[in-house]
Amino acid sequence: MTTPPALLIAGHGTRDDAGAEAFRDFVRELGRRHPGLPVAGGFIELSPPPLGEAVAELVERGVRRFAAVPLMLVSAGHAKGDIPAALAREKERHPGISYTYGRPLGPHPALLRVLERRLAEAVDPSWDLSEVTVLLVGRGSTDPDANAEVFKAARLLWEGRGYAGVETAFVSLAAPDVPGGLDRCARLGARRIVVLPYFLFTGILPDRVRRQTAAWAAARPDTEVRSADVVGPEPELLDLVMERYEEAVKGDLRMNCDSCVYRIALPGFEDKVGLPQQPHFHPDDDGHHHHGHGHAHSHAH
């Protein structure tokens, strides 16, 4: 019987200790649910353990093949460039290993069901949903394709659920920002707004969304505003990661390249077409390739 490839979970990283621990707990829970499958997880930046350490852990356990799944909602610079480049670096560090790379989680129907629950928890049961406007707030990126995916999630969340509308905003790097998104909801006539963070776990950015929402609401007493919670380590998320793992193992990869800024000359981003990808270097990562600190693509955090 052929041993299945191990599962490597790649996270973004956060300066928020609770958010980083939520990721580590999630990886441990995946391991508990699948006792016959070696599972490890690491971060691209900001949080321990770095991704290279997670790969080393698998190698020490005798793993030679693994499938890497990015625990990310959209295909931004990390999923498109940093993680593949980091995995290529690990292949150089550990001769003899092989891997396949899965795709980000995306606006999967299972995630939409969790978002719908988060909204149900936030709204007053007496409210008519046709009078509720949702503001879905994503991380924000310098990659237009990644930002477009958040708009896609908003549209899919709106379809068939009876809300007045689902608008979109971003907490960093992209417009509209949270106050701007709330202003738009108000200009559209919204009197009841639920701000829904499009984030997997708690962290600095979801906290910023909540603070900015509270500040806006305090200045607009005529509008009722509620804040919903992040997705969290729900069973649907655990199952979806395994679905992405199975896709990667089978080679059923459907990464979106139709509007990738590194392949298509999008207006204002023409200089990025064809650029080689290089990995981030975690400050705690004491690997053997420190001479390669430059980023071939530029995106702020």
Side-chain angles (χ1 to χ4, degrees), residues 33-106:
R33 282 176 165 238
H34 304 276
L37 179 67
V39 179
F43 295 99
I44 290 298
E45 61 182 2
L46 302 175
S47 312
L51 194 62
E53 190 175 301
V55 173
E57 175 193 330
L58 290 174
V59 171
E60 287 169 8
R61 293 163 67 180
V63 167
R64 289 296 174 265
R65 297 186 305 136
F66 63 87
V69 174
L71 197 67
M72 298 170 186
L73 289 167
V74 302
S75 296
H78 286 299
K80 289 178 178 179
D82 296 327
I83 297 173
L87 292 174
R89 180 187 65 195
E90 295 308 315
K91 196 171 189 299
E92 291 181 6
R93 288 182 178 176
H94 304 284
I97 68 170
S98 63
Y99 62 88
T100 54
Y101 182 44
R103 58 181 173 139
L105 305 176

Side-chain angles (χ1 to χ4, degrees), residues 17-163:
D17 291 340
E21 186 58 26
F23 171 91
R24 292 187 288 262
D25 280 344
F26 185 83
V27 172
R28 287 190 286 265
E29 179 60 24
L30 276 170
R32 284 191 290 269
R33 282 176 165 238
H34 304 276
L37 179 67
V39 179
F43 295 99
I44 290 298
E45 61 182 2
L46 302 175
S47 312
L51 194 62
E53 190 175 301
V55 173
E57 175 193 330
L58 290 174
V59 171
E60 287 169 8
R61 293 163 67 180
V63 167
R64 289 296 174 265
R65 297 186 305 136
F66 63 87
V69 174
L71 197 67
M72 298 170 186
L73 289 167
V74 302
S75 296
H78 286 299
K80 289 178 178 179
D82 296 327
I83 297 173
L87 292 174
R89 180 187 65 195
E90 295 308 315
K91 196 171 189 299
E92 291 181 6
R93 288 182 178 176
H94 304 284
I97 68 170
S98 63
Y99 62 88
T100 54
Y101 182 44
R103 58 181 173 139
L105 305 176
H108 191 281
L111 283 176
L112 295 174
R113 288 196 297 272
V114 179
L115 293 175
E116 192 173 9
R117 282 209 301 276
R118 295 293 174 258
L119 289 172
E121 294 161 1
V123 302
D124 189 303
S126 67
W127 289 0
D128 183 341
L129 293 188
S130 67
E131 298 177 352
V132 176
T133 298
V134 177
L135 182 63
L136 184 71
V137 181
R139 175 182 294 274
S141 172
T142 56
D143 184 334
D145 181 41
N147 296 331
E149 287 191 38
V150 182
F151 275 84
K152 180 179 180 179
R155 178 69 194 194
L156 289 171
L157 184 61
W158 178 79
E159 291 279 358
R161 289 180 173 83
Y163 291 99

